[in-house]
Amino acid sequence: MNEALLRSLTPSVLAILVRRGADFAAAEDAVQDALVEAVRVWQADPPRDAKGWLVTVAWRRFLDATRADAARRRREESVDEEPAPGPAPAVDDTLQLYFLCAHPSLTPSSAVALTLRAVGGLTTRQIAQAYLVPEATMAQRISRAKRTVSGVRFEQPGDVSTVLRVLYLVFNEGYSGDVDLAAEAIRLTRQLAAVIDHPEVAGLLALMLLHHARRAARTAPDGSLVPLAEQDRGRWDTESIAEGVDILQAALARDRLGEFQAQAAIAALHADAPTAEETDWVQIVEWYDELARLTDSPVVRLNRAVAVGEADGPRAGLAALAALEDTLPRHTAVAAYLHERDGDLATAARLYTEAAQKAPNLAERSHLTRQAARLNARGRS
């Protein structure tokens, strides 16, 4: 196996797929799959035309992925845009696929990545962003997972915690990313809650409902983002909020706290506040402390810094932020917000501009750019 040859051929094969009509991210995934297949078969049966072989295999993989994505979208379009309240219908094949991809032969992180790619329909880039790792690293992780399960019979499904993690990440991408998967994630989590009596399943469903209840208020008519503090709370879905709170309270009463219940408790405190000014930030900080203890996640600590800034003042928030790596996604945006709250408008404007350049999607980039422009205009007046 000539790995140098594979590396040298990769750019030209990728370019051919793009010229044939594949978008760049999908072409990258298809070429990665073809390279994995080459490593597997070329040792015993090397092709006469290596480049032609890679193009053929990669193009077939791209077509397979495109058909699978189209089928998934048709499933999504067959349900209403908003998830209906109440009991879920019988479990369908999609949820079963989530369990099968979360195979015991895989590590939890690899199982999640494989399921997101194969069933959830996310790109390698989107999954890498969710895990805070380079795209190349995630591509290798997914490829290793595919190799691991390629000869495995899927008779033993994965565990609930891995499936919950996948559903959570799918919902997050649908809630804040470029692909609308939030309603599908809620539908599947309802199904899971109907067949598994577990407080964290209930906690995740409550969390999804409480976040999704704000959907209509999250964007302005022109498509721009509306921050939580500025949202019209009259547009929040009170039925979803009530259902989410009821589910959460029942889960918390079982005294088996997990991270999804803790996150749902934070969302419930936001939903319970009649106005942004009446938000109980002290309780929110306490729940973030619980969540940090459960997860030790730097993203949780970043969000906690915002809450500390609201509860104890922006300088306390900046002190909490100083303990975190500035390479964290949205770290710069949080720093900008806290500096603005502290009255340092020049620093805040500069940081908003920097944060806009790092934003993961167009809507967030536009929002941060407007924040910088607003502060720069105030500084000139």
Side-chain angles (χ1 to χ4, degrees), residues 12-70:
S12 59
V13 174
L14 181 60
I16 290 171
L17 262 65
V18 172
R19 285 200 299 272
R20 287 186 178 184
D23 69 83
F24 189 79
E28 281 187 311
D29 289 337
V31 172
Q32 182 69 32
D33 286 347
L35 294 175
V36 171
E37 185 68 8
V39 170
R40 189 178 70 83
V41 304
W42 282 14
Q43 191 74 27
D45 184 21
R48 286 191 294 270
D49 179 5
K51 182 177 177 180
W53 189 98
L54 286 171
V55 169
T56 300
V57 173
W59 184 247
R60 287 174 181 167
R61 295 300 172 88
F62 166 73
L63 292 177
D64 289 344
T66 301
R67 294 187 188 105
D69 185 62

Side-chain angles (χ1 to χ4, degrees), residues 68-84:
D69 185 62
R72 178 185 59 77
R73 290 182 183 278
R74 284 195 296 271
R75 288 198 304 271
E76 291 175 1
E77 290 168 0
S78 68
V79 298
D80 293 334
E81 180 178 345
E82 296 299 321

Side-chain angles (χ1 to χ4, degrees), residues 225-295:
L225 290 180
V226 180
L228 176 61
E230 300 172 18
Q231 289 178 12
D232 178 0
R233 298 182 179 222
R235 299 185 65 196
W236 289 2
D237 182 349
T238 55
E239 187 175 347
S240 290
I241 290 173
E243 183 185 6
V245 169
D246 286 345
I247 292 171
L248 173 62
Q249 288 176 340
L252 291 175
R254 300 176 67 174
D255 198 24
R256 291 168 54 194
L257 183 64
E259 62 173 294
F260 296 126
Q261 294 168 74
Q263 288 193 56
I266 293 169
L269 285 167
H270 283 297
D272 187 56
T275 65
E277 293 73 22
E278 295 174 87
T279 303
D280 190 343
W281 287 105
V282 173
Q283 270 204 72
I284 288 176
V285 171
E286 292 173 356
W287 275 111
Y288 271 122
D289 288 338
E290 289 286 346
L291 191 54
R293 180 182 60 80
L294 290 165
T295 66

Side-chain angles (χ1 to χ4, degrees), residues 29 58 73 83 121 123 164 166 193 221 264 267 271 274 287 293 297 316 319 322 328 378:
D29 289 337
R73 290 182 183 278
T123 66
L164 287 179
V166 175
W287 275 111
R293 180 182 60 80
S297 164
L328 274 173
R378 286 178 58 181

Side-chain angles (χ1 to χ4, degrees), residues 57-135:
V57 173
W59 184 247
R60 287 174 181 167
R61 295 300 172 88
F62 166 73
L63 292 177
D64 289 344
T66 301
R67 294 187 188 105
D69 185 62
R72 178 185 59 77
R73 290 182 183 278
R74 284 195 296 271
R75 288 198 304 271
E76 291 175 1
E77 290 168 0
S78 68
V79 298
D80 293 334
E81 180 178 345
E82 296 299 321
V91 178
D92 67 11
D93 291 341
T94 305
L95 189 58
Q96 182 66 15
L97 284 174
Y98 273 68
F99 273 94
L100 291 176
C101 284
H103 197 270
S105 63
L106 298 173
T107 64
S109 60
S110 294
V112 170
L114 177 62
T115 313
L116 289 172
R117 184 72 189 93
V119 187
L122 303 191
T123 66
T124 304
R125 180 177 292 110
Q126 289 168 325
I127 302 168
Q129 289 172 347
Y131 270 89
L132 311 182
V133 299
E135 184 176 353

